[in-house]
Structure formats: structure tokens, C-alpha cells
Amino acid sequence: MLTIGVDIGGTKVAAGVVDDKGQIVEHTLRPTAADRPDVVAETVADVVRELSAGRTIEAVGVGAAGFVDETRSMIRFAPNLAWRDEPLQKKISDLVGLPVVIENDANAMAWGETRFGAGRGQSHVVCVTLGTGIGGGLVFDGVLYRGRWGMGAEMGHMQVLPGGRQCGCGNVGCWEQYASGQALVKDAREIADAHPEQAKILLGLAGGKIEGEEVTEAARLGDEASLAAFASLADWLGQGMADLAGVLDPGCFIVGGGVSRAADLFIDRARQAFAERVTGHGHRPLAEIRLAELGASAGVVGAADLARLR
């Protein structure tokens, strides 16, 4: 049975035809019109039509970066996209004429990794996706935990610093403001502004506008400001996972998302911070912290599999 998985992020729409072994048969990518919900639905419909050509597709699963309701049909709120009570399932289904399941994108990634990736064989898995913000997903005993209203595991919006940075969700001091892609860039920019002598490599690469790719490249070249930004991300990531372990006690954390492509610059320090800060450290088993195996395809694979199991 073939299904289509779609992963809608803050900057792109990724989609693929997926078989029942979690293998992607064909893949495509489009930019996201984050401020235009109707255009996003049309974009999804276009990629579904493209990928359906010459194939029998049973259903479509859509992983969306937002708060999905308990019926898996509506986006109640999206911090980084212009969705407010958006009936996305009906819009897409009407456009493509196929059954459609909407799921939070981090939940889809967590399901994909648990079924086919780094979480295989694990009974208690917490996935943390580091992208523009932080998404999360929980799979316990083979069940994707969604919460009473479908909005569980929004761990990126745990308040870790009262009075801290303003977050797109409307609160301040959220975890994603300190351990995400946007946090990495903010930290690097702040350090470069305050101490340009520490950011010579970064400023030379950026040419006036510092973004994540420049921070990563500069860090690998030894730029002090960029390395400091990654160190801050690692410490906050470890701290957040330690707090989650105190509540959920998982056997495994899986770290994925776009920022994880630079994991060599922060994951060891994050593991150390986790081990030092978890409640009862030294007197309890420590959860493994693994890197996602499916890469950018995890959300597509997970969404497609959830559509198959609808």
C-alpha cells in the first residue's frame, strides 16, 4: 500500500510517496508561503497530485508545524505559520479527493523514527526536533501520545526562563528561544554585535547578514562567537532534556530536525549537560540520547505511516 506523507515546515513543504516498509519511492520539495494559509493548502494539493500520477494512493498524511486538534483535522494555532483555527484536513481532502490525516510535524517525525529509525526496539521514546523552533513527540509502548485535545508534547514551549525572550507562541522564555535554530542565530548575532573581535570569521562569511549556515560554517573554522552560540544551545538542550526526563523517564531521546545536521558541534556537550543536570544523577539509569536516522525524511515517513494506520 502506498501513501503520501507531507511535512509542512516554516520554510518548506517536503512530500514523498512511502511504502509500508517506510521507504520513500519518490520525493519532492516546495517553498512554504508561511503567511498565506490558503496557498499552503494549494501547495500541498499540487505535490500530492504530482506524486499521485500513475500510482494508486490510499491516503495522505500531513505533518504540520502547529497545534493540531484531537480530531486530527484542524490547526488550532501555529507559532511560526499564519494558521489560526485552520480546517486544513478538509481543504486538502477537497482539493485532492483522498482521505487526509493531519498530525503535528514533530509527532510525525517521532512516529517515523520510532517505527523505522533511531527508536526501533525502544518502548519509551521522546523525540526533540530542532528547527526554526523546537518540536517534540512522545511514543510510549507503541502509542503516539497526543494529549486530551491533541496538543501534547509541545515541549518547545516549556518556560525555562521567566522574563526571557519573547516567543512566537505569545509567552516569554520558552525553551525554543534558547535551544533552536533561531536561538543559535540570535546568540551568534548578539555576540558578534557585542564582541566583533570574537566573530571575525563569522562576519567575513556572513557579509552583513548572519544566518544558521554561516554560524555552522564559522564554528567549524574555529570562530569564537559561533562556537559560543553552539555551546549555549548545547547547554540549554541538555537542561531541557533533563527536565523532561524528570517527568517522563524515557529510555531514549532522539534529537532530529535541521539543526541536528550540525550535531558534531553540540551533541556531546548536550549529553554531558543532560547527565550533570538530570534529577538524581549518579543514582539512576540515564536515557540514551541518539541522533535521528531518517534525517529530513522522518516527518514525511511518519506522516505517511500514520495515514496508513488511520
Side-chain angles (χ1 to χ4, degrees):
M1 178 191 295
L2 296 177
T3 54
I4 290 176
V6 182
D7 184 7
I8 305 174
T11 60
K12 62 178 175 49
V13 172
V17 180
V18 182
D19 66 19
D20 57 6
K21 300 292 193 301
Q23 297 297 309
I24 295 178
V25 176
E26 186 177 348
H27 185 267
T28 190
L29 191 68
R30 302 281 179 84
T32 302
D35 58 341
R36 300 177 64 189
D38 288 338
V39 174
V40 172
E42 289 283 358
T43 300
V44 172
D46 285 345
V47 298
V48 170
R49 294 186 195 105
E50 175 187 329
L51 293 171
S52 297
R55 298 186 175 96
T56 299
I57 301 297
E58 299 295 328
V60 177
V62 178
F67 290 53
V68 180
D69 74 350
E70 69 271 26
T71 67
R72 297 195 296 176
S73 62
M74 180 176 290
I75 310 292
R76 291 293 187 188
F77 173 76
N80 299 307
L81 288 162
W83 282 326
R84 302 294 183 269
D85 295 324
E86 177 72 11
L88 192 62
Q89 187 269 346
K90 185 177 188 306
K91 284 187 175 182
I92 295 172
S93 185
D94 287 349
L95 288 167
V96 301
L98 289 168
V100 174
V101 170
I102 306 296
E103 187 54 81
N104 172 268
D105 62 338
N107 283 352
M109 176 266 185
W111 186 255
E113 284 290 342
T114 302
R115 286 267 287 155
F116 304 109
R120 289 190 305 273
Q122 291 286 325
S123 61
H124 293 73
V125 177
V126 175
C127 283
V128 181
T129 64
L130 307 179
T132 303
I134 294 180
L138 312 175
V139 182
F140 288 169
D141 291 326
V143 177
L144 177 65
Y145 177 80
R146 303 185 71 253
R148 167 61 182 84
W149 290 287
M151 302 176 193
E154 285 290 344
M155 56 190 70
H157 299 288
M158 300 186 300
Q159 189 182 61
V160 298
L161 188 62
R165 289 173 174 167
Q166 181 70 47
C167 184
C169 75
N171 290 329
V172 297
C174 293
W175 189 28
E176 71 173 40
Q177 293 303 311
Y178 302 94
S180 65
Q182 64 177 325
L184 178 73
V185 172
K186 282 182 182 178
D187 285 339
R189 288 173 178 171
E190 289 176 2
I191 297 169
D193 285 344
H195 303 286
E197 73 281 359
Q198 297 178 15
K200 292 179 181 178
I201 297 173
L202 175 59
L203 292 171
L205 290 171
K209 187 175 183 181
I210 295 172
E211 300 293 351
E213 289 184 7
E214 288 80 18
V215 178
T216 300
E217 184 178 354
R220 292 199 168 115
L221 293 172
D223 182 77
E224 291 181 59
S226 301
L227 289 169
F230 270 107
S232 176
L233 182 148
D235 290 344
W236 279 111
L237 178 59
Q239 178 67 63
M241 290 191 295
D243 292 342
L244 288 167
V247 177
L248 299 170
D249 192 29
C252 176
F253 285 94
I254 298 174
V255 178
V259 179
S260 70
R261 291 195 292 270
D264 57 300
L265 294 168
F266 67 84
I267 197 64
D268 287 342
R269 182 171 176 134
R271 289 181 175 126
Q272 181 180 351
F274 169 77
E276 292 173 350
R277 300 176 188 184
V278 68
T279 302
H281 65 275
H283 303 282
R284 62 177 292 165
L286 288 178
E288 289 186 69
I289 298 175
R290 300 178 178 179
L291 292 175
E293 293 180 2
L294 301 181
S297 300
V300 168
V301 171
D305 198 56
L306 288 166
R308 181 177 295 109
L309 300 173
R310 70 189 187 284

